[in-house]
Amino acid sequence: MDFTYDSETVALRDAVRGLLGKAYPSSEDRRGATNTEPGFDEKVWGRLAELGALGLPFSEDDGGAGAGPVEVSIVAEEIGRVLAPEPFVESVVLAGGLVAAAGTAEQRADVLGRLSAGENVLLPALLDSGQPVSASGEGESVTLTGAKEPVLHGARADQLVVSAVTDRGVELFLVAGDAEGLTRTGYRTFDGGRAARIELDGTPAVRLGEQGDRSAAIDEVLAAARIAYSHEALGAMEVALSQTVEYLKTRKQFGVPLNTFQALTFRAADLYVSMELARSTVMWATLVLADAPERAAEAASRAKAIVSRTSRHIGQEAIQLHGGIGMTAEYSVGHYMSRLTALDHWLGDGAEHRAVLAASVRDHGVLEPLA
């Protein structure tokens, strides 16, 4: 497998890095965006659309760029590097992916076209919260009742992709953000992000695609999202590690830089080894998603499991090696640890994915780590 980027992907990376680097040059700039509604910068969202980032995975017929998982991973990683709060993975990979997988041609052209142009913030509402969402009615008179939580950035959604249990299994529906009977209760998350509880009470909805169980499509899109989140974590870990090494080179104790103490240098070296192992596994999972999507679920679990372990290793060591300032709100390394913790828990944490992989060990005649 070739892990190197070609000239086009390098150009995409440089363009996104330049845009986000100017938007969020420091933790203070990110905090300014997350402290005001809707929790991210709408202008940056629009610039990502102008750059073509919001339409990357969708076909050209649906208003997208017809790119693949590698290009999506580049954007996700750059978002992680600066902790950009824009809901790229939630809107493009998850919600957009569900529409691309299950929607009719007309729905794809309409919804994905507006998402790609930055005109529509589309978000997924998949997790039930005490009151499972049910659907009633047929055709154009379908209504939904129940609650979903957490819905990341749900208070800002122009449109939601909602899952509901019907007689045919799990189906997907499009719901307008301002639909009758829909109540949104937004709140802040511990990493500075936003989430909401979405309550539906006889809310009008439009079925996504034809009637039928969409569980398989949901599983495929969730695998793609887990891999994208793993790339976002890679970007965050890389910066946290870089900041830590730079601190060891410049901070002095007993008249000499900290990196002259061999024990600290060994700890930094361990972080590099962990980082490279995680990067190799996540990039392999991305190529599996691109070339053999039927195997993406297992690859995503492997990526999520190792990123969970690595992000905890790098995040905790980064704070410890920075000493007391690592825990202050004014220093960015603590923000990276918060975001890495959130990414670990979203869509299944390390323990959950290790359990999934352990349950399938007997399915393999020979255990090949990277086959």
Side-chain angles (χ1 to χ4, degrees), residues 42 62 114 129 165 188 218 269 273 280 286 331 335 338 361:
E42 300 260 12
D62 296 335
R114 288 187 290 127
S129 177
V165 176
R188 300 191 63 165
I218 294 172
V273 172
S280 297
T286 306
Y331 204 79
H335 297 259
S338 295
V361 166

Side-chain angles (χ1 to χ4, degrees), residues 152-163:
L152 298 185
H153 292 282
R156 172 57 185 85
D158 294 316
Q159 198 171 29
L160 293 158
V161 179
V162 182
S163 62

Side-chain angles (χ1 to χ4, degrees), residues 54-301:
L54 303 187
L56 275 176
F58 312 129
S59 72
E60 294 181 5
D61 290 340
D62 296 335
V70 173
E71 288 78 9
V72 170
S73 73
I74 288 172
V75 179
E77 201 161 318
E78 294 306 316
I79 283 179
R81 287 177 59 85
V82 296
L83 302 181
E86 281 66 31
F88 173 77
V89 178
E90 295 85 357
S91 188
V92 175
V93 182
L94 260 175
L98 292 171
V99 174
T104 64
E106 292 77 14
Q107 288 173 330
R108 295 198 306 271
D110 174 36
V111 178
L112 299 182
R114 288 187 290 127
L115 170 60
S116 301
E119 300 169 354
N120 183 28
V121 178
L122 179 72
L123 291 165
L126 303 177
L127 300 177
D128 288 323
S129 177
Q131 187 184 1
V133 172
S134 60
S136 60
E138 295 294 341
E140 297 181 354
S141 60
V142 175
T143 61
L144 302 180
T145 298
K148 295 287 187 181
E149 186 181 16
V151 179
L152 298 185
H153 292 282
R156 172 57 185 85
D158 294 316
Q159 198 171 29
L160 293 158
V161 179
V162 182
S163 62
V165 176
T166 70
D167 295 339
R168 291 170 286 273
V170 180
E171 295 191 86
L172 296 168
F173 299 86
L174 290 169
V175 177
D178 58 354
E180 182 181 353
L182 186 149
T183 303
R184 301 187 284 192
T185 306
Y187 51 87
R188 300 191 63 165
T189 56
F190 70 89
D191 63 329
R194 300 297 176 93
R197 176 180 174 82
I198 304 292
E199 296 183 66
L200 306 159
D201 184 9
T203 304
V206 176
R207 178 176 282 103
L208 194 55
E210 304 298 327
Q211 293 182 344
D213 183 32
R214 298 297 180 186
S215 298
I218 294 172
D219 289 343
E220 290 177 8
V221 173
L222 285 176
R226 289 181 178 117
I227 292 172
Y229 278 127
S230 296
H231 276 282
E232 188 174 332
L234 283 181
M237 287 190 289
E238 186 173 287
V239 174
L241 175 55
S242 175
Q243 290 179 344
T244 302
V245 171
E246 189 61 29
Y247 182 78
L248 295 178
K249 290 179 179 177
T250 55
R251 179 77 167 94
K252 290 185 176 180
Q253 286 282 20
F254 309 112
V256 295
L258 289 175
N259 69 338
T260 59
F261 296 100
Q262 193 176 50
L264 298 183
T265 304
F266 283 175
R267 288 171 69 176
D270 284 342
L271 296 180
Y272 273 114
V273 172
S274 293
M275 180 75 203
E276 289 308 307
L277 181 58
R279 177 174 293 282
S280 297
T281 305
V282 174
M283 293 186 73
W284 164 79
T286 306
L287 296 181
V288 170
L289 178 64
D291 298 334
E294 70 278 3
R295 296 174 50 212
E298 181 181 332
S301 287

Side-chain angles (χ1 to χ4, degrees), residues 40 55 180 320-321:
F40 63 89
E180 182 181 353
Q320 288 186 19
L321 291 172

